Amino acid sequence: MSFAVSMLVFLGIASIIGTMLKQNEPYENYIIKLGEFWFVYFEKIGLYDVYHSIWFLIILLFLVLSTTLCIIKNTPAILKDFSVFKDSLEEKSLLSFTHHLVIKNKKYVNTSKILHYLKQSKYKVKEKSKENGDFLIVAKKGNYQRIGYILTHIGVVIICLGGLLDGNLIFKAQELLGYKKIETLDMPASKVPEASRLSLSNTSFRANMTLAEGSSDNVAFVRMKDGYLVQDLPFKITLKDFRINHYSTGMPKSFESDLVISDPELSQDITKTISVNHPFTYKGIAIYQSDFQDGGTKLNIKLRSLFNSNSTQKIDGKIFDKVKLDKDQITYEFNDFKKFNVLHLKEGEKEKPRNVGPSVTYKVRNSSGQAREYLSYQYPMPIEGRSFYISGMRETPQEEFKYLKIPADAKGSIDEFMLFKDALQNKTLIESVAKKIANQSTSNIDKNNEVKESFEKSVNKLMALFGQGGFSNIAENIDKNIPANEKEKAVQTYLKIIDIASSEIYKARFNLADKDLNQTRIIFIQDALNAYSDIFFYGVPYYFELTSYEQKEASGLQLTKSPGQFWVYLGSLSLVLGIFSMIYLHERKLWLLIKAKGGVILALSSNRKNIDFENDFKKLIQEIKKIIQ
C-alpha cells in the first residue's frame, strides 16, 4: 500500500510538471524559454512529453499491478464483513472498548423496544442468546463505506489503464525494435518514409493539422521530441471557412472553422462547424479547434534604402515564401503575418492595451546563410505623444527584439525621414551648410579666412562622421582623438554643432525659413537623428514598409484518438464515488449485552473516531437509557 501511495505522489508531481510546462512544443521553444543548459537536462528525463515518457508509463504499470494486488487481497474480507456479525465477544472484551456504557442492577430490559429503535436508526441487527442466559444484540450500519475502499482502488486502476491505452506503447515498442523512427527533416508529407508514418490502425495519437481556407488534407503531424511522425487519416478534411471575432481592443474573442469531412464510405460529405471546446468526433477521432495562424497572406512591400538616396524597391511576397534580392545577395523569408497586435504602449501605467495594426515577421538571410529575424509594423505607433514607425531586429530567437523607431511626419508617413536621411548623406548639401555655419559663427570674431576655413572643415568632418555611423561613430572618434580630461567638453561641443548643422540641413532640404522651425519640427529632427544613428545597427540596408496585403487565414486543428478517455472518465467516476463513500458514510458497530443476573453493557466502535462519532455515542446512550428506564 505504501508503494502505491508513493507512486501516486510521484504521478501527482509529474502531472503538475506536465501542466506547468507546455507539452509537445518544438524544441526551439524550450531552448528559448529554458536556455540550453536546462533544456538538455529536461530533455533527458522526458519533461517535454511527460505523459508519454517511459518512466511515466512504467509508474502507471506498477501502480496498476500494486493496486490490483491490493484489491485482490482485501476485497474478499470486505465483502465477507457485510454478512458477518461479530457475536462472539464476551463481557471482558466489551469493557475494553473506549466507548462503552455499563448500567448496573437492571434485571428486566425491553429488548423489542431496543431492536425497534436500532432498526429505525438503520442498523442491521442480529440477536444471540448465550449459554449462560445472557442476551447479546449485535448491530451495524454504514458497511457501504468499505465499498468506497474498493471503488477508490478500482478507480485508480481504471484511470491508469486508460493512461496506458493512450500512452503510445505500440509506437514505443516499434521504435525500440527499429521498425519506426522519428523524422527530423522538413519535407512534404507525401515524401515522408514509411518508417516515420503511422497507419490507420494506430490506436492512439494526438496530432496537429493546419489548413488554409479552401485547402484540404488527409494526414496530420504528431510532434515527437525533435521531429515528427505523419499520421494517416481514414478521411479528408477541408477547411471551407474560418472566422475570428474580436473584442473592441483587437484581442481574439472566439474563432471557429467550417469543416467538410469527405469519406469514401459516406454517400455525401459531412459539414460541421467546430469552435474552441466544441469539437466534432468522427470514426473515433475528435477534431478540436486549437488555434489559428496565417495561411499564406500576400504582401505588397516597399524596401526603402537606408544608405542610398531615392532608392526604393517594390516586391511582392507571401507568408512562408522567400524573395531573393540578387543585387544585395540577401533573401527575405516571410514567416508570419498578424492583422491585429494588442500591445501595452505605456508600461507601468493603467492604460488598456490597444490594437496597433498589422505586423509581419520575417528573416533576412545573407549569402553565407546567416539570418536575422525582424518584426515590422505597418502603421506608426503613438509613443510619448509622438508617432513612430517600429521595426524590431534580433540576432537569435533567444534575444529580445531591439527596435528601430523612425519618426512619422505630419502626414503620418515615413517620407520626411527618408528625405532628411538622404540630406544627411548629401555631401554637397553638408558642405553648403558647413560654410553657412562657419560664416555665421566667425563673422563677429575674426575676419581671417583661415579661421573660417578651419571651422568649416571641422563642421564638414563632424557631419561626415555622423553620416557614416551616427552618434556611435562620433563617440569612437572622441575616444581615439580627445584627451580624457577634455572628452566631456568635446561631447557637448560636438552635439551642439550636430544639432545646429542638422537643423540647417533640414531647413535647406525642405526650403524652410528660421521662423518655420517650430518646436514640433525640432523634436522631429532629434528623433530622426536618433533613428539615423540606429540604422547602422539594423543589420539590413532596407527599411521594410508594408503597403498593402491580402490576408489568408489558416485554422489550427488538433486531432486526437483516445481509447483510454472513456476509461479515464469511468475510473474518475469510480474514484469520486469511492471517496464520497469513505467520507460521508459512517461505519458503526454496536454491541448490547443484557446480562441474565442483571445489568447492561453497551459498546460502540467505528473505523474513524471523530466528533461525529462522539455525538452519535452520546445520542445512543441517551436513547438506550430512556428505553431501559
Side-chain angles (χ1 to χ4, degrees):
M1 186 65 184
S2 59
F3 177 77
V5 172
S6 300
M7 292 296 99
L8 277 173
V9 171
F10 205 88
L11 280 181
I13 295 171
S15 298
I16 291 172
I17 295 172
T19 303
M20 299 295 291
L21 184 64
K22 196 171 182 180
Q23 300 289 286
N24 281 320
E25 287 280 287
Y27 272 14
E28 307 87 65
N29 293 2
Y30 293 119
I31 294 174
I32 294 170
K33 291 177 183 177
L34 304 172
E36 293 187 5
F37 178 81
W38 288 110
F39 167 79
V40 174
Y41 288 100
F42 282 21
E43 194 272 335
K44 285 181 179 179
I45 57 178
L47 293 187
Y48 305 135
D49 192 9
V50 169
Y51 305 111
H52 295 117
S53 59
I54 291 294
W55 56 266
F56 189 87
L57 298 176
I58 289 174
I59 291 174
L60 288 181
L61 184 60
F62 273 110
L63 196 56
V64 167
L65 295 174
S66 174
T67 310
T68 301
L69 290 174
C70 191
I71 293 171
I72 293 171
K73 179 182 177 182
N74 295 299
T75 298
I78 292 172
L79 296 177
K80 184 180 179 181
D81 193 55
F82 273 88
S83 58
V84 172
F85 289 81
K86 294 182 179 180
D87 56 2
S88 60
L89 296 182
E90 299 296 334
E91 179 180 348
K92 186 177 180 180
S93 299
L94 297 179
L95 292 173
S96 67
F97 278 65
T98 304
H99 294 77
H100 71 272
L101 172 70
V102 178
I103 302 175
K104 297 180 179 180
N105 303 322
K106 193 71 179 176
K107 291 187 177 181
Y108 174 75
V109 176
N110 191 337
T111 57
S112 61
K113 286 187 177 181
I114 293 175
L115 293 172
H116 178 71
Y117 166 73
L118 292 175
K119 289 176 181 178
Q120 274 193 332
S121 301
K122 298 181 180 179
Y123 279 92
K124 290 183 178 180
V125 180
K126 182 180 179 182
E127 307 165 46
K128 182 180 180 180
S129 297
K130 293 184 174 286
E131 294 179 357
N132 61 0
D134 293 348
F135 186 75
L136 179 65
I137 298 174
V138 183
K140 61 181 180 178
K141 69 176 180 178
N143 268 7
Y144 287 106
Q145 186 195 50
R146 297 292 187 93
I147 292 294
Y149 174 91
I150 299 173
L151 288 175
T152 302
H153 284 67
I154 289 175
V156 171
V157 171
I158 294 175
I159 290 171
C160 291
L161 286 174
L164 289 170
L165 284 174
D166 289 344
N168 287 337
L169 290 174
I170 295 176
F171 167 74
K172 291 185 184 300
Q174 291 175 326
E175 185 183 27
L176 188 64
L177 296 172
Y179 295 116
K180 294 290 182 183
K181 68 174 184 177
I182 297 171
E183 182 58 65
T184 57
L185 299 177
D186 188 11
M187 64 178 72
S190 59
K191 294 185 179 180
V192 173
E194 191 63 31
S196 299
R197 302 183 77 94
L198 300 174
S199 67
L200 298 177
S201 61
N202 186 26
T203 57
S204 171
F205 62 82
R206 185 180 295 271
N208 295 284
M209 175 189 290
T210 301
L211 289 177
E213 289 177 319
S215 65
S216 60
D217 212 338
N218 62 349
V219 296
F221 294 89
V222 181
R223 289 198 190 111
M224 286 282 185
K225 298 180 181 178
D226 58 344
Y228 62 91
L229 299 169
V230 174
Q231 174 64 59
D232 292 315
L233 302 175
F235 50 84
K236 183 174 69 174
I237 303 175
T238 302
L239 179 62
K240 187 177 180 181
D241 187 32
F242 178 73
R243 297 176 296 279
I244 308 178
N245 296 319
H246 295 85
Y247 291 104
S248 57
T249 59
M251 288 285 286
K253 183 179 181 181
S254 63
F255 44 97
E256 58 187 21
S257 301
D258 293 336
L259 303 179
V260 178
I261 309 298
S262 303
D263 188 344
E265 297 180 4
L266 295 172
S267 57
Q268 62 180 11
D269 294 342
I270 300 173
T271 301
K272 284 288 181 180
T273 298
I274 65 169
S275 58
V276 178
N277 297 326
H278 293 88
F280 170 63
T281 302
Y282 179 67
K283 285 192 170 181
I285 299 174
I287 307 170
Y288 291 88
Q289 178 72 70
S290 62
D291 57 20
F292 60 90
Q293 62 185 59
D294 195 86
T297 295
K298 294 180 180 179
L299 309 171
N300 301 117
I301 303 154
K302 276 185 183 179
L303 296 180
R304 311 284 291 261
S305 176
L306 296 173
F307 302 107
N308 294 322
S309 299
N310 299 320
S311 178
T312 300
Q313 294 188 58
K314 291 184 179 181
I315 62 172
D316 295 326
K318 185 180 178 182
I319 298 300
F320 308 124
D321 282 356
K322 302 176 182 179
V323 174
K324 185 176 181 180
L325 304 183
D326 294 325
K327 178 183 176 183
D328 300 284
Q329 290 296 300
I330 58 175
T331 302
Y332 279 80
E333 302 172 0
F334 305 107
N335 298 331
D336 193 19
F337 171 84
K338 290 183 179 179
K339 185 176 181 179
F340 296 95
N341 288 275
V342 181
L343 304 176
H344 281 280
L345 296 179
K346 293 184 179 180
E347 294 185 7
E349 295 188 20
K350 293 183 179 179
E351 182 176 313
K352 290 183 178 180
R354 57 180 295 179
N355 175 31
V356 297
S359 69
V360 179
T361 304
Y362 57 96
K363 289 182 179 179
V364 180
R365 195 175 300 277
N366 60 24
S367 56
S368 62
Q370 294 178 323
R372 292 183 174 92
E373 187 176 13
Y374 291 84
L375 172 62
S376 293
Y377 294 88
Q378 183 178 19
Y379 301 125
M381 294 187 198
I383 300 175
E384 297 180 356
R386 289 112 67 197
S387 293
F388 293 88
Y389 281 88
I390 303 295
S391 182
M393 182 276 291
R394 61 184 178 186
E395 302 278 352
T396 64
Q398 290 85 355
E399 297 178 3
E400 295 291 333
F401 280 105
K402 300 172 185 176
Y403 290 97
L404 171 66
K405 298 191 294 184
I406 296 179
D409 56 30
K411 296 179 181 178
S413 77
I414 201 173
D415 295 339
E416 190 169 319
F417 170 81
M418 288 298 174
L419 293 172
F420 182 49
K421 176 266 302 177
D422 291 343
L424 290 172
Q425 297 169 350
N426 188 321
K427 186 177 179 181
T428 304
L429 182 57
I430 290 173
E431 288 176 353
S432 173
V433 166
K435 182 174 289 188
K436 179 180 178 181
I437 294 173
N439 288 332
Q440 291 175 347
S441 301
T442 60
S443 59
N444 298 325
I445 301 173
D446 197 333
K447 296 184 179 180
N448 191 331
N449 287 333
E450 290 183 5
V451 176
K452 290 183 180 180
E453 289 176 2
S454 176
F455 187 69
E456 183 181 333
K457 287 180 180 179
S458 297
V459 174
N460 250 319
K461 182 180 178 181
L462 185 62
M463 293 309 295
L465 285 171
F466 183 81
Q468 293 166 6
F471 288 119
S472 62
N473 205 26
I474 301 296
E476 288 178 13
N477 182 265
I478 291 174
D479 286 337
K480 288 180 182 179
N481 302 311
I482 305 297
N485 60 342
E486 297 180 13
K487 284 183 179 180
E488 186 176 349
K489 184 178 179 181
V491 168
Q492 294 176 356
T493 302
Y494 285 4
L495 289 178
K496 186 175 181 180
I497 293 173
I498 291 172
D499 185 48
I500 294 170
S502 58
S503 296
E504 292 296 331
I505 291 171
Y506 182 85
K507 288 191 295 181
R509 177 60 186 83
F510 297 104
N511 299 315
L512 300 175
D514 290 342
K515 63 179 182 179
D516 297 324
L517 201 63
N518 55 29
Q519 187 63 27
T520 301
R521 283 178 168 146
I522 291 172
I523 293 173
F524 177 87
I525 292 170
Q526 293 300 320
D527 290 336
L529 292 176
N530 291 330
Y532 183 82
S533 292
D534 290 340
I535 66 176
F536 295 96
F537 303 97
Y538 191 53
V540 67
Y542 298 101
Y543 180 79
F544 182 102
E545 184 180 2
L546 177 65
T547 56
S548 62
Y549 59 87
E550 183 181 330
Q551 189 180 20
K552 189 174 185 180
E553 294 173 312
S555 176
L557 307 177
Q558 187 176 86
L559 295 89
T560 63
K561 189 175 183 180
S562 304
Q565 185 182 54
F566 169 78
W567 298 106
V568 170
Y569 287 153
L570 181 62
S572 299
L573 177 62
S574 177
L575 190 64
V576 170
L577 290 175
I579 291 172
F580 269 80
S581 297
M582 290 192 293
I583 292 175
Y584 294 106
L585 295 180
H586 305 293
E587 184 186 40
R588 301 286 186 264
K589 291 183 179 180
L590 178 146
W591 291 266
L592 187 68
L593 180 64
I594 303 171
K595 297 177 65 63
K597 296 180 180 180
V600 176
I601 299 174
L602 171 69
L604 186 69
S605 74
S606 174
N607 64 340
R608 187 179 293 113
K609 293 179 174 61
N610 50 30
I611 190 168
D612 290 331
F613 175 70
E614 297 290 342
N615 293 333
D616 286 350
F617 183 63
K618 290 177 182 178
K619 182 180 178 182
L620 183 64
I621 290 174
Q622 292 174 358
E623 295 297 329
I624 294 296
K625 282 183 176 180
K626 284 182 184 179
I627 294 171
I628 292 175
Q629 292 173 356

